[in-house]
Amino acid sequence: MKNSNSSLGFLPTTFILVGIPGLETKHIWISIPFCLMYTIIFLGNGTILHVIRTDASLHQPMYLFLAMLALAEVGVSASTLPTVLGVFLFDTCEITFEACLLQMFFIHSFSIMESAVLLAMSVDRFVAIYSPLRYTTILTPPCIFGTGAIIGLKSVILMAPLPILLQRLPFCGHNALSHSYCLHPNLIHLPCGDISINNIYGLFIVTSTFGLDSLLIVVSYGLILHTVLGIARGEKRKKALNTCGSHICAVLAYYVPMIGLSMVHCFAHHASPLLQTMMANAYLFLPPVINPIVYSIKTKEIRHGIIRMLSEKRLRV
């Protein structure tokens, strides 16, 4: 342990990471589905990014936002990969204090980006349905890339104070985490000092990002539904709503596990550690695994782009 400036306790030199509670002896077998998930995440999202980058017909607002979503999901997964595979494959259950704060920063920064991109995609669908003739003039490339830059900058600025706020707290020897990665809701329960500032700022981040984003997504889809019911009939109405299907799946895959994990951390303090671990894994791994599959199946242009890419590679061979 190393001394803190506070007289109340210490800053830990390391944190202890946990795999699946109660299944420690089976970590090598549990590593198999995690390796499979990482393979799907990086291969699936990487394929979507490659197809969008190389296919000029996909350089449109909807697909550029999808590329941002894939980048954010790769970022979240890459942030967790070293410690998750370290715990399950090599039984490396320690992480330094500084590395833990850095991992927490990247996981939550990319998660905030993911939420903001989902909001941008819902606005994109509203503009496409409400004003299709002005779609490309409203969502121009500078507007899209500017939006991406603002999303990234906002995420970094919002998350930057959290590691600093955690460093000012005494931990009094408590350094065992509940997961195989570092999350702020888990870290904030370990200090023995006054965490009111951390709680207030953490709540501010949650409400100003995930809370506001989810509210605006609901509003966007309310406007989309109102527009579709007002201007379309029969097949046109069905076609307009089908363009939102993949995005709705992405929103549900992201927000349902996140809400569940938040409820467990806030209200179920005595819940089973296994429940907390499974909810956290669902929150981090479900969206980046599901979204590439959903978009590859439900989005015709992405599907055709992947088929063309595979065909070209086959011809080269």
Side-chain angles (χ1 to χ4, degrees):
M1 306 289 284
K2 60 183 179 181
N3 287 324
S4 166
N5 291 331
S6 170
S7 60
L8 296 175
F10 305 89
L11 284 179
T13 303
T14 60
F15 284 112
I16 306 300
L17 300 171
V18 176
I20 306 295
L23 299 175
E24 289 81 4
T25 59
K26 297 180 173 58
H27 275 180
I28 193 65
W29 295 105
I30 296 172
S31 69
I32 296 174
F34 277 96
C35 289
L36 180 61
M37 284 191 292
Y38 279 120
T39 301
I40 295 172
I41 289 168
F42 292 120
L43 184 61
N45 286 289
T47 299
I48 286 178
L49 284 168
H50 178 73
V51 167
I52 293 174
R53 184 181 67 84
T54 57
D55 193 332
S57 66
L58 297 179
H59 294 174
Q60 301 176 35
M62 174 183 176
Y63 305 110
L64 294 176
F65 283 127
L66 176 57
M68 293 181 196
L69 181 65
L71 276 173
E73 291 176 340
V74 167
V76 171
S77 301
S79 301
T80 64
L81 185 145
T83 55
V84 170
L85 294 188
V87 168
F88 290 116
L89 284 177
F90 308 109
D91 201 28
T92 306
C93 296
E94 288 190 352
I95 182 172
T96 65
F97 182 78
E98 293 77 12
C100 188
L101 294 186
L102 188 64
Q103 184 183 52
M104 177 202 72
F105 173 82
F106 281 115
I107 290 175
H108 290 301
S109 293
F110 282 116
S111 293
I112 291 171
M113 292 180 200
E114 196 174 350
S115 176
V117 172
L118 288 172
L119 171 59
M121 293 173 78
S122 69
V123 174
D124 165 81
R125 290 299 82 208
F126 170 68
V127 174
I129 291 172
Y130 181 77
S131 185
L133 297 179
R134 299 177 58 206
Y135 176 58
T136 54
T137 59
I138 294 174
L139 295 174
T140 60
C143 174
I144 295 166
F145 291 118
T147 300
I150 291 171
I151 288 172
L153 188 61
K154 180 191 78 171
S155 304
V156 170
I157 290 174
L158 282 175
M159 277 301 303
L162 279 185
I164 299 171
L165 289 173
L166 280 169
Q167 283 182 311
R168 56 177 279 278
L169 293 172
F171 282 75
C172 304
H174 304 295
N175 67 337
L177 299 176
S178 302
H179 312 298
S180 51
Y181 35 76
C182 300
L183 297 178
H184 183 259
N186 188 196
L187 284 168
I188 203 62
H189 290 304
L190 298 181
C192 54
D194 182 11
I195 60 171
S196 56
I197 294 177
N198 300 67
N199 279 332
I200 291 170
Y201 188 70
L203 181 61
F204 167 73
I205 291 179
V206 170
T207 53
S208 64
T209 55
F210 307 116
L212 184 60
D213 291 347
S214 59
L215 176 62
L216 293 177
I217 288 171
V218 171
V219 171
S220 296
Y221 272 97
L223 294 173
I224 288 171
L225 187 61
H226 179 267
T227 302
V228 169
L229 294 177
I231 66 173
R233 293 292 182 272
E235 286 300 315
K236 288 185 179 180
R237 178 183 299 176
K238 183 178 178 182
K239 184 178 179 181
L241 290 175
N242 279 342
T243 63
C244 303
S246 299
H247 182 254
I248 292 173
C249 291
V251 169
L252 292 175
Y254 180 79
Y255 280 104
V256 170
M258 186 193 73
I259 293 170
L261 179 62
S262 300
M263 296 290 284
V264 168
H265 277 298
C266 290
F267 304 111
H269 298 295
H270 302 292
S272 163
L274 180 60
L275 175 62
Q276 294 187 29
T277 300
M278 298 310 294
M279 291 300 298
N281 288 337
Y283 162 60
L284 289 176
F285 293 105
L286 191 62
V289 167
I290 287 181
N291 289 342
I293 298 172
V294 169
Y295 276 99
S296 299
I297 294 173
K298 291 185 67 66
T299 307
K300 180 176 65 176
E301 291 78 8
I302 295 292
R303 187 169 65 249
H304 289 174
I306 293 173
I307 293 172
R308 282 196 297 272
M309 180 189 72
L310 295 175
S311 299
E312 290 173 0
K313 285 186 176 181
R314 192 179 296 115
L315 287 174
R316 291 193 192 116
V317 173

